[in-house]
Amino acid sequence: MNIEDHNGTTVLHRPNREEPPRNLWTLLIGRPLATADAPHQTIGKLIGLAVFASDALSSTAYATQEILAILIVIGPAAYGLVFPISLVIVGLLAIVTLSYEQTIHAYPNGGGAYIVSRDNLGLLPAKIAAAAILTDYILTVAVSISSGVAQIISAYPQFYPYRVFLAVGLVFFIMMVNLRGVRESGVVFAIPTYFFVVMMFITIIVGLVRYFTGNLGMVVDPPALELLYAPQALTLFLLLRAFSNGTTALTGIEAISDGIPAFKEPRSRNAGITLIWMSSILGSMVLSVSFLAGHIQAVPSEVETVISQIARTVFDGRGVLYLMVISATTIILIMAANTSFADFPRLSAITAADGLLPRQLTYRGSRLVFSRGIAVLALLASLLIVVFQASVTRLIPLYAIGVFISFTLSQSGMARRWWKIGHLKEKEELKERGSVLRYQPGWQVKMVLNGLGALMTFFVMIIFAVTKFTDGAWVVLIIIPLVVILFTVIQSHYQSVAAKLSLEHYGSPVPRVPRNRVLLPIGGVHRGSLAALRYARTLTDDITAVHVSINPEETERIRKKWEQWGDGVRLVIIESSYRRFMEPLLDYIEDIYRRRQPNEVITIIVPQFVSKKRWTNLLHTKTAEALQHELMYYPDIVVTNVPYLVD
């Protein structure tokens, strides 16, 4: 034990020798990790790609299908437009990737769009960014899990009636894996991620070889065409709607910038390289899948996915390679939820530390992850899945608006940051909450790049909001402002509490309480009540025992016993005509409270039976807890219980 002396105050440091207990929970999520183990729980680039890129990579499975679902209303001409639209989307992907690569190096502690907006645009834009990206993380889980279940149904249609139960079960499975820690969940998911990448590239390469050798035909026995809208001619609005559907491929780009602290040192470099890998793989797969889907004339359907149609066309049926592709796609879609489980708790913790969400979200669990945030995400995503019946088509209109709001704010913030850097003198530093600014030559080019990216993603956001408004996008456009209002209310509460608890201008410490009055509720005279009386004697001589009379005969026995054992302490008997206990007692306490003297504290001491057999504690009333709940808003009233072990 170390002893220090600070200005006459003795400070003792005692090492903790606690050994966490082993129980069913530790069996499920692993043994508790010490805080000192945190540096060993970080991950490298290969595992980081599995943890943070699964969301982005999984969008390959549905981005092309969602483009086709809109364009198919114009007939066969739709297949000639899928690839050009995908080219534009991949160009946008390149711009956003370059912007976030800069963000990763500028803000190595993570936080993404929220931190960038907070430091460069102000608190309101930061709240909007946080609300948008947190909402999107919830939608990511719902969409990716629902899409994974859709892949299963493509191969096994008999499971269609059970899709909601399957989806919710998978959400809680991924929750449990993530509660084991970032490193362990990354190792668990690494092999399936790379299995998906390998199988997709095998499918793409074989498909392209067969195309260029003239050996790739149309899809055989496509599913029945189900038009979302009536047949119509090609219009600009229709093109924009298809484009907005396809931009769901960009979801997940934000993830790495939010989760930089999970990477090994040098964190920013490792995170930046992982981002480039992810975007390169994603871009090549989106273009290839769109090209092949257009050639085989795949039909967008809830019964069979476009990926399934491409795979069975490329591999001539539902053989082993087809099943491997479907299995890999299903797994990556389910794992895409893992990206949100890695980032939602981290961003929640950052915003909670700033007082925008409950402080409990900043606490790490036994496995050094933000376990409360993980649980909240699982519950909210499951609720969405149940409400929308695990339908990807119904969930997609809600998806991606939040992403592009955060993209726009993040890149606007970075453009503002470069402007501030350009106005610094050489060797001058400007410290902000999230980073340190230093003059950098060539800042103009970077500012223009980020400004252009912000402009493009803003237009995409507007396109998405307009084209998807009637399909359900209005829901998100209402939810995000509501979340911002929630942030503001929580922040206002914390600021009010901090102001009332502040020691600034407080003066000298409050002197000791000059007077303490004790009320001792008793239901009987026994060893427990006498133990409480002995404790009350250590506080004051002004003690009043209180008994609520429900049974007159029992009350008389208590009165006689108290005269014998009460050591002269006065006893107040409250008559309860309607056999109620709490209400007459509270009325008496409030009467005493109103007539209390200045600087008088009223202490209510409640005897409590405690049994070593925990289940038997359910057989005893919790009077102290009930009084604490009822009297917590009364200043100068203290409720305490005196436990008495009965076995």
Side-chain angles (χ1 to χ4, degrees):
M1 183 178 294
N2 298 326
I3 302 177
E4 300 177 10
D5 191 292
H6 297 275
N7 298 324
T9 301
T10 301
V11 180
L12 306 178
H13 292 270
R14 183 180 185 276
N16 182 16
R17 300 182 181 88
E18 175 195 12
E19 282 295 331
R22 300 297 177 91
N23 49 35
L24 180 60
W25 186 245
T26 60
L27 182 66
L28 288 172
I29 68 170
R31 66 174 181 83
L33 297 173
T35 304
D37 292 329
H40 306 294
Q41 296 300 306
T42 52
I43 55 179
K45 296 186 288 293
L46 291 176
I47 300 297
L49 189 66
V51 172
F52 294 107
S54 52
D55 176 19
L57 297 181
S58 70
S59 61
T60 308
Y62 51 79
T64 299
Q65 176 164 321
E66 294 305 320
I67 296 174
L68 275 173
I70 299 299
L71 290 178
I72 201 67
V73 297
I74 67 171
Y79 297 110
L81 296 172
V82 175
F83 186 72
I85 289 176
S86 297
L87 274 175
V88 177
I89 291 170
V90 170
L92 183 61
L93 168 66
I95 293 174
V96 173
T97 299
L98 289 175
S99 175
Y100 271 106
E101 208 274 337
Q102 293 176 5
T103 302
I104 285 170
H105 291 284
Y107 295 91
N109 293 321
Y114 170 70
I115 297 296
V116 176
S117 301
R118 186 194 67 187
D119 284 7
N120 298 286
L121 302 177
L123 189 56
L124 178 59
K127 290 177 181 178
I128 295 171
I133 203 66
L134 288 173
T135 301
D136 186 72
Y137 282 143
I138 298 168
L139 286 165
T140 294
V141 175
V143 170
S144 60
I145 293 291
S146 298
S147 188
V149 170
Q151 294 290 331
I152 296 174
I153 292 169
S154 293
Y156 304 100
Q158 62 269 28
F159 288 126
Y160 183 79
Y162 309 105
R163 62 194 184 282
V164 174
F165 297 101
L166 284 171
V168 172
L170 288 169
V171 168
F172 280 90
F173 168 73
I174 296 177
M175 180 193 76
M176 294 304 299
V177 174
N178 276 273
L179 287 173
R180 295 185 66 87
V182 174
R183 187 176 181 181
E184 285 203 26
S185 64
V187 172
V188 169
F189 292 141
I191 295 175
T193 298
Y194 291 110
F195 175 57
F196 168 76
V197 172
V198 169
M199 291 309 303
M200 283 301 299
F201 276 115
I202 288 175
T203 305
I204 289 166
I205 292 169
V206 172
L208 292 176
V209 168
R210 292 190 62 182
Y211 170 78
F212 287 111
T213 58
N215 194 27
L216 183 65
M218 303 288 191
V219 61
V220 178
D221 295 327
L225 178 61
E226 300 175 2
L227 295 180
L228 296 178
Y229 309 97
Q232 57 185 280
L234 179 63
T235 62
L236 177 61
F237 183 79
L238 194 69
L239 275 175
L240 292 176
R241 172 172 279 184
F243 171 75
S244 64
N245 262 25
T247 54
T248 54
L250 273 66
T251 57
I253 301 299
E254 161 90 7
I256 292 178
S257 67
D258 282 333
I260 301 170
F263 285 87
K264 292 180 179 178
E265 295 288 356
R267 293 184 300 184
S268 293
R269 181 176 181 275
N270 288 331
I273 292 172
T274 306
L275 175 64
I276 300 298
W277 287 357
M278 176 182 72
S279 297
S280 301
I281 295 170
L282 173 61
S284 60
M285 287 199 300
V286 167
L287 288 176
S288 301
V289 169
S290 294
F291 181 83
L292 292 173
H295 177 75
I296 70 168
Q297 296 194 1
V299 175
S301 170
E302 290 250 351
V303 177
E304 184 183 12
T305 62
V306 165
I307 292 293
S308 173
Q309 295 172 57
I310 291 174
R312 67 182 176 87
T313 303
V314 168
F315 298 123
D316 292 325
R318 299 177 184 263
V320 174
L321 287 175
Y322 165 82
L323 291 175
M324 290 175 69
V325 171
I326 294 300
S327 299
T329 307
T330 302
I331 293 170
I332 195 69
L333 284 166
I334 294 169
M335 283 174 46
N338 188 59
T339 298
S340 292
F341 276 102
D343 276 331
F344 179 94
R346 291 178 180 276
L347 183 56
S348 298
I350 291 171
T351 52
D354 285 346
L356 305 184
L357 284 174
R359 300 283 191 195
Q360 293 91 327
L361 293 173
T362 63
Y363 304 152
R364 292 181 183 267
S366 62
R367 297 290 294 178
L368 296 175
V369 292
F370 299 103
S371 50
R372 288 177 175 85
I374 291 173
V376 168
L377 175 59
L379 290 172
L380 293 176
S382 297
L383 180 62
L384 270 181
I385 288 171
V386 171
V387 170
F388 289 91
Q389 291 295 290
S391 171
V392 178
T393 302
R394 293 174 64 191
L395 284 165
I396 280 290
L398 282 68
Y399 199 34
I401 293 183
V403 174
F404 282 96
I405 291 174
S406 66
F407 284 170
T408 302
L409 290 171
S410 175
Q411 294 188 98
S412 299
M414 286 299 294
R416 165 88 175 152
R417 186 177 191 273
W418 291 121
W419 184 86
K420 289 191 291 185
I421 285 174
H423 287 75
L424 292 175
K425 297 177 181 178
E426 289 192 29
K427 298 184 179 180
E428 183 183 358
E429 287 187 353
L430 177 61
K431 291 186 177 180
E432 295 184 336
R433 289 179 64 186
S435 67
V436 179
L437 277 61
R438 301 180 182 88
Y439 179 82
Q440 294 183 33
W443 60 270
Q444 298 94 334
V445 175
K446 295 176 180 178
M447 183 179 72
V448 169
L449 176 65
N450 285 128
L452 178 63
L455 193 62
M456 292 182 67
T457 54
F458 174 75
F459 281 134
V460 174
M461 179 188 71
I462 297 299
I463 290 168
F464 208 111
V466 171
T467 59
K468 295 294 180 183
F469 187 82
T470 56
D471 293 335
W474 62 271
V475 176
V476 178
L477 295 176
I478 291 175
I479 289 175
I480 290 176
L482 289 177
V483 175
V484 171
I485 292 171
L486 176 66
F487 286 160
T488 303
V489 170
I490 293 173
Q491 182 188 36
S492 176
H493 168 73
Y494 280 132
Q495 288 175 343
S496 174
V497 170
K500 292 174 181 177
L501 295 178
S502 175
L503 294 177
E504 291 186 21
H505 313 297
Y506 187 60
S508 59
V510 177
R512 294 188 179 187
V513 176
R515 179 173 174 79
N516 195 346
R517 182 170 186 174
V518 170
L519 301 181
L520 179 64
I522 59 171
V525 181
H526 42 66
R527 296 182 184 184
S529 54
L530 295 185
L533 177 59
R534 284 195 298 272
Y535 173 71
R537 288 287 196 193
T538 66
L539 302 178
T540 182
D541 291 326
D542 188 353
I543 304 170
T544 302
V546 183
H547 174 70
V548 178
S549 176
I550 295 174
N551 184 328
E553 294 178 358
E554 178 65 20
T555 299
E556 182 60 21
R557 285 194 291 270
I558 289 173
R559 184 189 65 77
K560 290 180 179 179
K561 269 193 171 185
W562 189 255
E563 289 175 353
Q564 181 180 357
W565 296 96
D567 196 23
V569 171
R570 62 180 169 269
L571 172 65
V572 173
I573 297 174
I574 305 173
E575 303 292 342
S576 179
S577 303
Y578 296 97
R579 301 162 306 285
R580 302 171 78 182
F581 170 74
M582 187 61 67
E583 290 78 1
L585 179 59
L586 287 172
D587 182 67
Y588 174 73
I589 292 171
E590 288 175 359
D591 183 55
I592 296 295
Y593 179 76
R594 285 191 296 269
R595 294 187 289 108
R596 73 189 189 284
Q597 298 180 18
N599 294 325
E600 181 179 61
V601 171
I602 298 173
T603 302
I604 302 169
I605 297 177
V606 183
Q608 180 177 344
F609 298 129
V610 178
S611 173
K612 290 182 180 179
K613 299 174 183 176
R614 297 195 176 186
W615 71 269
T616 60
N617 288 318
L618 299 174
L619 304 177
H620 302 283
T621 57
K622 305 292 183 181
T623 306
E625 294 177 8
L627 286 172
Q628 286 169 348
H629 176 74
E630 294 290 341
L631 300 172
M632 66 173 66
Y633 300 109
Y634 288 77
D636 299 327
I637 289 185
V638 178
V639 181
T640 187
N641 62 324
V642 177
Y644 185 79
L645 192 64
V646 293
D647 60 1

